[in-house]
Amino acid sequence: MAEEKKKVTTIGVLTSGGDAPGMNAAIRAVVRRALGKGLKVYGIYRGYDGLMEEDVKEMHAQDVSDTIQRGGTILYTARCAEMRTPEGQKKAAETCRKFGIDGLVVIGGDGSYRGAQTLAHQGINVVGLPGTIDLDISCTEYTIGFDTSVNTAMEAIDKVRDTSTSHERCSIIEVMGRNAGYLALWCGIANGAEDILLPEKYDYDEQKIIDNIIDSRRRGKKHHIIVNAEGVGHSASMARRIEAATGIETRATILGHMQRGGSPTAKDRVYATIMGSMAVDLLIAGKTERVVGYKNGKFQDFDIDEALAMTKGIDEYEYEIALAMSGGYQKETQKKVIRDESL
Ligand code: F6P
């Protein structure tokens, strides 16, 4: 006779890595969905650090009241070095067992899923939710926080553009994203940037940018907005070199952590709520080592191993459109590539 699957009775939830707007909506959904299904719920504080230090508290429905509209994470977050060691992983599983946590929802990015996997190998059922402003998780076209972050950055860039135009300057605005260029690409399109520098695409030929600035100034343009991704970086030194080469005053603005804060957009609240509920439903259905994603217009779950093995690049068509709109130096490069291909 097939062994009967042990029913999950107690869910733990934690947020790990960089915080992202909408994480609270996801926590709230996990708590309320689990309680509604008759399960016990524990909140684990400061990511995996909470499992090392047994900073674990039972959560009730009212603990997540008045949180859906708040940025940050009510459970706090951390990047836990100990979770990368076998001792730390053992301790984390022991804490789960001590509190009777047999199902764990981990809200974070790829690194957080790797930690979750080690717990799964020790018998704890785990489900990951994509929580990061970077949109750099391969199995999903949506990550919790990206929508809010890109809107925050877009509004900030609009403001920089006002002053940049008044002073007839060139402005380099650096947006977050670690090694991924999605935030920069979206801001580049949404803000109508003249140049968009993405780690996945940039060829580090600054002369092309300089030529483009001089050319657009000759055509009468009063501003020149360059959206630069954190993965390319060096905005301040780039600004100094561009100013020296063009004679046009150039300023660098690094938006920084403001992109991670603020009240989540409706999309982040709603998608995080659906994903949080789905994580609980998956655990109740006896699933483990899954990551919830949004792909091809549907919320779906993926095997953690497969999700981690997938690679994600910038969508070529989206990038091509961005170049076509920007009139940046890359547009010429792109034209050349297309011409060469047609030979
Ligand atoms: O992963 C989110 C993110 O904001 C990245 O875009 C950025 O590279 C990193 O976190 C910054 O980390 P910290 O908050 O540790 O400075």
Side-chain angles (χ1 to χ4, degrees), residues 8-239:
V8 169
T9 59
T10 307
I11 300 242
V13 56
L14 62 82
T15 47
S16 170
D19 65 345
M23 280 185 164
N24 286 329
I27 297 165
R28 175 178 174 271
V30 170
V31 171
R32 294 209 168 155
R33 184 71 168 177
L35 292 174
K37 296 279 179 182
L39 307 182
K40 202 168 180 176
V41 191
Y42 283 104
I44 297 155
Y45 287 78
R46 295 175 189 80
Y48 291 111
D49 277 356
L51 291 178
M52 304 303 153
E53 288 149 24
E54 300 186 12
D55 197 356
V56 177
K57 290 183 191 73
E58 192 172 348
M59 294 190 88
H60 306 282
Q62 67 270 25
D63 293 326
V64 287
S65 137
D66 197 23
T67 61
I68 195 165
Q69 80 287 8
R70 283 164 56 190
T73 159
I74 55 165
L75 292 176
Y76 305 101
T77 186
R79 296 191 170 95
C80 177
E82 236 181 310
M83 195 57 193
R84 286 188 223 116
T85 68
E87 299 74 36
Q89 292 156 9
K90 197 163 157 265
K91 170 67 190 162
E94 273 165 19
T95 305
C96 287
R97 279 193 286 272
K98 180 170 171 181
F99 286 86
I101 295 169
D102 43 16
L104 181 68
V105 180
V106 171
I107 308 168
D110 283 3
S112 315
Y113 304 156
R114 288 201 180 88
Q117 236 179 350
T118 67
L119 293 176
H121 297 157
Q122 298 175 82
I124 316 290
N125 300 307
V126 296
V127 173
L129 294 187
T132 170
I133 63 163
D134 299 338
L135 195 64
D136 60 349
I137 299 173
S138 311
C139 67
T140 182
E141 291 155 9
Y142 164 84
T143 59
I144 297 166
F146 176 78
D147 191 59
T148 307
S149 183
V150 80
N151 277 288
T152 302
M154 179 191 74
E155 284 170 20
I157 295 170
D158 280 346
K159 292 184 169 85
V160 175
R161 188 193 187 114
D162 286 345
T163 169
S164 193
T165 306
S166 305
H167 288 262
E168 300 176 67
R169 280 175 176 158
C170 168
S171 287
I172 304 174
I173 302 143
E174 188 173 312
V175 298
M176 274 188 166
R178 202 182 291 275
N179 302 316
Y182 305 103
L183 271 169
L185 177 66
W186 273 61
C187 287
I189 297 173
N191 293 100
E194 275 67 38
D195 282 304
I196 309 167
L197 312 183
L198 313 180
E200 298 89 343
K201 297 286 181 187
Y202 185 45
D203 63 3
Y204 291 86
D205 186 349
E206 223 164 79
Q207 192 54 46
K208 286 193 226 161
I209 303 175
I210 290 165
D211 293 345
N212 190 39
I213 296 168
I214 294 170
D215 185 50
S216 73
R217 203 41 72 106
R218 268 198 212 114
R219 283 185 279 115
K221 272 216 169 180
K222 297 293 183 204
H223 61 265
H224 196 101
I225 301 292
I226 301 171
V227 173
N228 186 26
E230 177 188 6
V232 173
H234 305 288
S235 298
S237 54
M238 200 187 287

